[in-house]
Amino acid sequence: HIGSLLSTVKMHFSALSDKIKGHEKQYNTATELLDQSVTEVRRISHNLVGGILMKFGLEQALKAIEANINSSQSSMNLEVQCHNLKDRLNAKTELTIYRICQELISNALKHAKANEMTLQITRDGKQMLLIAEDNGQGFDPKALKEGIGLNNIKSRVDSLNGTLNMDAAVGRGS
């Protein structure tokens, strides 16, 4: 969330670049500091995620997100349901699924403006089923402009030889 906020600040800050005559040095310094902050937040985030996943596995890492979302000032309640995840997956698969879940949660918060979300992950042998549901504003899948987030989800699902199905409608959530 902090990374997203910093990126938004940078976007607004960049919009001022043509109005800084006489203050170019301060503007450039501030821009560099902002870039360094974004990089540092990303580094810390990746280190934390790696630690939780490596030590405790996918289920515990997702439960940590659930606890963080539900204990924060977030306007969304997240429920994570995991079935048959006691045995660890390989590290790459766990990280990929974790990143998909992060993106789904981020989309529900930022774009859908959902106040309820459920993530269900069920493992059945070598098969894995991930269902994400929210009560947000929904969207028309046919009119959807695919952004970076959705493209990231699709490429991660593809990397696991999976399929992605979207069921959404305006005003109904997804």
Side-chain angles (χ1 to χ4, degrees):
H1 183 69
I2 292 171
S4 296
L5 288 173
L6 286 170
S7 294
T8 302
V9 168
K10 182 170 175 151
M11 181 182 70
H12 287 283
F13 195 65
S14 294
L16 299 173
S17 64
D18 61 339
K19 298 178 170 92
I20 55 144
K21 301 226 186 313
H23 301 283
E24 289 87 355
K25 185 175 181 182
Q26 292 93 338
Y27 176 83
N28 291 336
T29 300
T31 300
E32 287 175 25
L33 290 170
L34 191 53
D35 287 340
Q36 289 173 13
S37 298
V38 169
T39 300
E40 184 65 11
V41 166
R42 187 175 293 126
R43 185 191 64 74
I44 291 169
S45 175
H46 285 281
N47 287 343
L48 288 173
V49 168
I52 293 171
L53 273 173
M54 294 304 287
K55 287 183 182 178
F56 303 109
L58 180 61
E59 182 172 359
Q60 292 306 311
L62 292 174
K63 289 292 187 176
I65 291 177
E66 177 186 45
N68 287 337
I69 293 281
N70 293 338
S71 69
S72 72
Q73 298 301 318
S74 166
S75 59
M76 186 173 79
N77 181 54
L78 175 63
E79 181 181 356
V80 174
Q81 300 171 1
C82 297
H83 306 283
N84 299 325
L85 289 183
K86 298 299 180 210
D87 294 331
R88 298 289 302 268
L89 304 166
N90 72 57
K92 182 182 176 196
T93 300
E94 284 189 342
L95 182 60
T96 301
I97 294 169
Y98 184 83
R99 295 282 188 231
I100 291 168
C101 291
Q102 278 185 312
E103 192 65 48
L104 291 167
I105 293 165
S106 177
N107 287 349
L109 280 167
K110 285 195 272 185
H111 303 297
K113 297 177 179 45
N115 60 22
E116 295 284 333
M117 181 177 191
T118 302
L119 278 177
Q120 298 175 39
I121 300 181
T122 304
R123 183 179 182 189
D124 185 14
K126 292 185 179 190
Q127 298 281 324
M128 184 79 81
L129 176 65
L130 167 61
I131 299 172
E133 299 175 289
D134 69 59
N135 68 346
Q137 62 190 10
F139 60 92
D140 179 358
K142 293 177 186 163
L144 183 65
K145 294 179 184 173
E146 293 184 13
I148 293 171
L150 185 55
N151 284 330
N152 283 339
I153 291 170
K154 283 183 176 184
S155 69
R156 287 183 172 123
V157 168
D158 288 344
S159 77
L160 295 171
N161 297 315
T163 58
L164 175 65
N165 298 306
M166 289 187 286
D167 179 18
V170 175
R172 176 174 69 80
S174 59

